[in-house]
Amino acid sequence: MTVIGLGPMGRAMVGAFVDSGHLVTVWNRTASKAEDLVARGAVRADTVEAALAANELVVLSLTDYAAMYDLLGSATGALRGRVLVNLSSDTPQRARAAARWAAEHGAIHLAGGVLTPPSGIGQPESSTFYSGPRAAFETHRETLAVLTATDYRGEDPGLAPLYYQLTMGMFWTSMMSWLHTLAVARANGITARELLPYATSALDLRYFLEFYTDRIDADEHPADVDRLSMGVASIEHVAHTTRDSGIDPTLPETVLEIFRRGEAAGHGDRSFTSLINTFTPRP
Ligand code: NDP
């Protein structure tokens, strides 16, 4: 296969392919990044056209989809018959547009969403979402499984980026809540290390997710275990403690504002899960 894009992720992917005995052609805008990979057995193509011509399977690991157009936009004549497995992160709409663009040039585009840092490449417990034409995915599934376990989400090219962005939304907001908490802790003389056991416990939300999932799917929000108004009081205490610690309260105050919106909409005596409808108002 060919790998185009030798950032930390692409380099890890080339390493995993080489280690599993594959012959890998590589290309990168900054050619010097290929040197150590060539020393490990990869083959450097002289041009992006040559990289595309070398193999049917072309893995892209670029910053985003714009980089793909920058790179391949002038080499579209070499795209015919290629299967582009785009493991660059971007949005569902851009993946759908890329699938159309590739098809116009006689290529197949499979979108991916890699759920691991470069250190997880080559580890079977890591996972990557894929979407796009099933037959092309099945043809290359075994090869792609060298990188991580594969999780095929469906034919709609937007599905892999969609699932990826859904998980990234949770990842970043959770990490920000952790950082904010550490700022409040630090202002009170508590280190990240000292808080670690409590942070891991607080962010282990599995029990709550499992408890509320079916209720949310049924759009049922009984107040048998929590009341939104109780949540308002709880977040107020968090915001207050944040301000008293001299820390920017934007994060808890934003959460408080969402809770208050729910209360104003008359959901005070329902579960906090009823807030889902403040994000998606019904017509
Ligand atoms: P980087 O942004 O570090 O590397 C990007 C690669 O894209 C480099 O090879 C770079 O070339 C190339 N590139 C960027 N812009 C252009 C352009 N306009 N024209 C040509 N080449 C371009 O990303 P990573 O390697 O870290 O990640 C790759 C993808 O994987 C990203 O979409 C990222 O979101 C995703 N990902 C990354 C993770 C991580 O932890 N790193 C985790 C999960 C997903 P050059 O070397 O010349 O600059």
Side-chain angles (χ1 to χ4, degrees):
M1 78 288 303
T2 289
V3 176
I4 294 180
L6 301 176
M9 190 54 103
R11 296 167 56 74
M13 289 174 175
V14 174
F17 282 136
V18 167
D19 289 350
S20 68
H22 288 277
L23 182 60
V24 191
T25 299
V26 298
W27 193 88
N28 193 54
R29 178 178 61 178
T30 307
S32 58
K33 287 190 190 168
E35 275 162 22
D36 58 329
L37 299 170
V38 168
R40 289 174 65 184
V43 176
R44 176 167 42 195
D46 289 336
T47 62
V48 75
E49 284 87 351
L52 289 168
N55 294 289
E56 181 202 19
L57 177 61
V58 178
V59 172
L60 302 174
S61 179
L62 301 164
T63 305
D64 52 21
Y65 279 34
M68 172 181 73
Y69 296 117
D70 279 353
L71 268 184
L72 304 187
S74 58
T76 51
L79 286 176
R80 183 155 302 278
R82 305 300 93 168
V83 176
L84 303 176
V85 177
N86 195 342
L87 299 180
S88 322
S89 308
D90 218 311
T91 70
Q93 291 296 28
R94 288 182 186 145
R96 294 182 184 115
R100 290 192 293 273
W101 176 81
E104 282 165 17
H105 298 290
I108 289 172
H109 181 274
L110 286 169
V114 182
L115 291 170
T116 179
S119 57
I121 297 297
Q123 310 293 329
E125 58 275 17
S126 306
S127 180
T128 301
F129 296 128
Y130 291 93
S131 58
R134 181 184 291 273
F137 172 72
E138 291 300 342
T139 301
H140 297 290
R141 179 200 286 265
E142 210 177 308
T143 306
L144 296 170
V146 166
L147 302 178
T148 67
T150 60
D151 187 347
Y152 178 72
R153 297 283 81 213
E155 296 262 350
D156 171 359
L159 282 171
L162 176 60
Y163 274 89
Y164 180 75
Q165 298 308 341
L166 293 173
T167 61
M168 290 316 285
M170 290 186 279
F171 176 77
W172 285 123
T173 49
S174 302
M175 292 308 270
M176 205 47 66
S177 85
W178 177 60
L179 276 185
H180 169 86
T181 299
L182 292 185
V184 177
R186 178 189 278 179
N188 288 279
I190 299 167
T191 65
R193 173 60 57 192
E194 285 167 333
L195 202 70
L196 182 60
Y198 305 100
T200 49
S201 163
L203 286 175
D204 180 5
L205 297 170
R206 186 181 302 258
Y207 167 81
F208 296 99
L209 303 193
E210 282 173 359
F211 179 80
Y212 286 114
T213 283
D214 290 339
R215 292 175 172 215
I216 290 172
D217 276 346
D219 210 6
E220 287 169 1
H221 310 284
D224 54 345
V225 292
D226 78 284
R227 273 185 334 111
L228 196 152
S229 291
M230 177 275 286
V232 169
S234 173
I235 307 281
E236 272 172 351
H237 299 156
V238 174
H240 209 128
T241 304
T242 301
R243 280 194 301 274
D244 287 349
S245 305
I247 295 299
D248 179 347
T250 304
L251 195 57
E253 283 183 350
T254 302
V255 177
L256 181 57
E257 199 273 320
I258 295 166
F259 267 77
R260 285 197 174 130
R261 235 190 280 163
E263 208 173 33
H267 299 313
D269 282 326
R270 304 174 79 197
S271 166
F272 86 100
T273 56
S274 62
L275 290 173
I276 192 168
N277 293 320
T278 68
F279 298 121
T280 53
R282 297 268 160 97

